[in-house]
Amino acid sequence: MLSTLRIERASFRDSSGCTWSGPDHVFRANWDQQGSTSKALETLLAQLQEEGLWVRSRAIDPAALPAFQAGACSLPQRAWEHPRVFFPSYAHEWPAAMLHCAAELTLELNERLLAIGWELKDATPTNVLFEGPSPLFIDHLSPAPRTPGQLGWTGYGQFIRTFLIPLCLHQLHGLPLAWLHLAQRDGVSPEEASRQLSRYDRLRPSVFGLITLPALISRSGEWRLGRSLSAMKHGDEAAGRAVTARILGHLRKQLKRWAPPEARGTVWSEYDQAGESYTPEGLAAKEAFIRTALDDCRPGTVLDLGCNTGRYSRLAAGLGARVVAVDSDAVCVARLWKQARAGHLDIQPLVMNLGRPSPALGWENGEEAPFLERVAGRFDMVFALALIHHLLVRERVPLAYVAAHFARQTTRWAVLEWVPPSDPQFRRLAGPYWGLYEACGQEAFEAALAPHFRVLRQCLLPGNERLLYLLEAL
C-alpha cells in the first residue's frame, strides 16, 4: 500500500512536516524536534480521539515511508498513520451552520491545548473535515508548544479572518460563504470586510471591535501594534495562560453572536411536501419506491444529488447507507445538517450548484480536489430526484449529457425521477422557452439512458405524470 502514496501538494505550507495519501490511509511526518513529543499532549490527543473530535491515528516508524527508504531526504522525528475521511469537503461547500460548528471545534481544541501549555499554530477550516454531520480535526501537525509566558494565540488573526468575519458578513448581508471561501484562501481581512459594510453596520458594537477598529489600526500603522505585542510575549506563564484564556473566551462570545439564525423557508424548502407537485398518494408512492430500491439493493454509499430537504437522504441513512447530499439551496442543506446531527445519521450535506460543481483550487489547482474527482467511484447508488428538468432548463444540458453524467457518478445503481415537460413545475421553470423541450418526453429520456443503464423497475406516480426509475449501470 505504501508504494501507492502520493504527496499532498498543500502540505508544502507547513515547513515542519509533510503529508502523503494512499487509497485508504493518510501518512504524516514531522521534522520538528518539539513536534508532538509531549507526554501530556499524547494523553490529550488520545482523549480527543476517543471523543471523536480528533482523527484517530497511530505512530509508525518514519523509515517505513518510501520517501525515506530511498534516502531522498532526512528522516523525520515522528510519523503517523490515520484512515482517510470518507468524503472530504471544503468550507465553500458548507452551510453557515457547518462553518460555525467547525469554528466551535477549533476553539474547544485550542482551549484544551492551552491547559497543557500547547496551542493550535493555525486556525483554518481546512484543518476540519466532516464525518457525516460531525466535525473532525485532521491536522496532526497543528499543535505547537507555547512560548513561556506567551500572551495570546498565534492563530487569533486567522481565526477571525476565516471564521468570524465570513459568518458576520453572511449574517448581516446574506453573502454566500462560497463566494468568500472560493475567492480567499486565508479568509477575509478586516480591511476587505469594512469595504463591504455600510457606515451604520461599521459602527455596530459587535462589528466595531471585530472589523472597524482593526481596519482603522491597519491603515494607521499596523507594524507598531505588531511590534508592541511581540515585546509582551515573555513573562509569567500562569499570567500568560490566564490572559490567553480570556482572549479565547472573548472569541467564544463573538462566535455565539455570529451564530447563523434559523433561516426562513425558501421556495424549495417545502418542495417535497404534498401540494402542486405531488398528491399525498404520489408522495407515499415515491417514498415506497425508493425504500424498496434501498431494501433490494442495500447500497453502502449513496450520493443524493439535488437532495432538497433530505427526505430520501434520511431514508437511505436510516437503512445503513453513508450519504453525501448536495443541493444549491443553503437553507435546505442547513436544515438537513441539523436533522442529521440531532438524529446521528451518517449524512454529509453540501451546498453546491450542480451545474457548476466545485473546481480544483489552490496552488497549481492541487490543494482542494474538484467535486467530480472526489465522487468518482465512491458511491453504490445515486439519487437524482426532481433534478433532471433543472439541468435541462437552467443549465441547458442535453439529455444525453445528463444521462452520461449520472452513469459516471455511480458504481452500480441509480434512482432517477423524470419530470415531463407537461408538468406544471417544468412549465414554470422553462417559462417562454417551454416549446424548446416539448419533444423531451419519456421516450427521449429512456433513449438517453439506454447506452448507460438497464431499467430494473419503474413507477408512474399517482396524481401526475412523473416517473421513477431504478437503474443498474451497464
Side-chain angles (χ1 to χ4, degrees), residues 62 223 243 473:
W223 67 273
V243 170

Side-chain angles (χ1 to χ4, degrees), residues 15-315:
S15 59
S16 66
C18 197
T19 304
W20 295 263
S21 293
D24 302 306
H25 293 79
V26 174
F27 299 86
R28 297 177 184 269
N30 193 330
W31 281 266
D32 191 343
Q33 291 281 354
Q34 295 179 304
S36 301
T37 58
S38 161
K39 185 65 177 176
L41 177 65
E42 291 180 356
T43 300
L44 175 59
L45 293 185
Q47 182 179 349
L48 294 173
Q49 290 174 39
E50 285 298 317
E51 295 174 21
L53 303 179
W54 199 285
V55 66
R56 288 187 175 272
S57 60
R58 67 181 185 90
I60 62 171
D61 180 3
L65 292 168
F68 310 118
Q69 290 175 346
C73 51
S74 61
L75 202 66
Q77 299 295 318
R78 299 287 300 276
W80 301 268
E81 172 191 11
H82 66 75
R84 290 180 67 93
V85 169
F86 168 63
F87 192 83
S89 61
Y90 309 111
H92 60 269
E93 300 168 342
W94 301 343
M98 287 176 68
L99 182 68
H100 187 269
C101 183
E104 287 183 316
L105 174 64
T106 301
L107 273 186
E108 178 181 350
L109 296 178
N110 205 52
E111 289 168 341
R112 294 174 71 170
L113 285 165
L114 175 65
I116 61 169
W118 286 66
E119 67 174 1
L120 298 175
K121 64 187 179 186
D122 50 6
T124 168
T126 58
N127 286 341
V128 179
L129 294 179
F130 280 80
E131 281 284 20
S134 302
L136 186 68
F137 199 87
I138 57 140
D139 190 356
H140 214 65
L141 306 183
S142 187
R146 285 168 47 84
T147 302
Q150 174 182 326
L151 302 176
W153 172 28
T154 303
Y156 176 86
Q158 191 177 41
F159 183 86
I160 288 175
R161 293 190 303 273
T162 59
F163 288 112
L164 285 180
I165 291 180
L167 288 168
C168 169
L169 294 177
H170 175 75
Q171 187 177 131
L172 289 179
H173 293 297
L175 285 178
L177 293 177
W179 293 6
L180 303 173
H181 287 288
L182 279 170
Q184 304 283 359
R185 181 187 65 82
D186 199 40
V188 184
S189 70
E191 304 92 297
E192 293 170 317
S194 180
R195 291 193 289 269
Q196 308 300 318
L197 300 175
S198 67
R199 180 178 299 179
Y200 170 77
D201 283 335
R202 288 197 293 268
L203 293 177
R204 290 173 182 244
S206 54
V207 176
F208 188 83
L210 177 67
I211 294 173
T212 310
L213 182 60
L216 291 171
I217 291 173
S218 175
R219 287 195 290 268
S220 64
E222 182 181 22
W223 67 273
R224 291 195 297 271
L225 179 64
R227 187 165 62 181
S228 63
L229 286 175
S230 66
M232 295 190 293
K233 284 185 178 178
H234 301 289
D236 179 73
E237 176 60 16
R241 290 195 194 183
V243 170
T244 304
R246 287 178 64 88
I247 291 172
L248 297 180
H250 180 63
L251 288 177
R252 273 205 173 275
K253 289 181 180 178
Q254 289 183 300
L255 188 59
K256 184 177 180 179
R257 165 64 184 85
W258 299 114
E262 188 68 36
R264 296 178 180 177
T266 69
V267 67
W268 302 114
S269 59
E270 308 299 329
Y271 184 76
D272 64 350
Q273 306 298 315
E276 181 183 35
S277 297
Y278 302 98
T279 64
E281 296 78 16
L283 271 181
K286 181 174 178 177
E287 182 165 330
F289 182 92
I290 295 169
R291 182 183 292 276
T292 300
L294 290 167
D295 282 335
D296 291 348
C297 301
R298 288 291 169 181
T301 53
V302 171
L303 177 63
D304 188 356
L305 299 174
C307 65
N308 197 257
T309 56
R311 175 195 291 259
Y312 306 106
S313 290
R314 295 193 299 273
L315 181 60

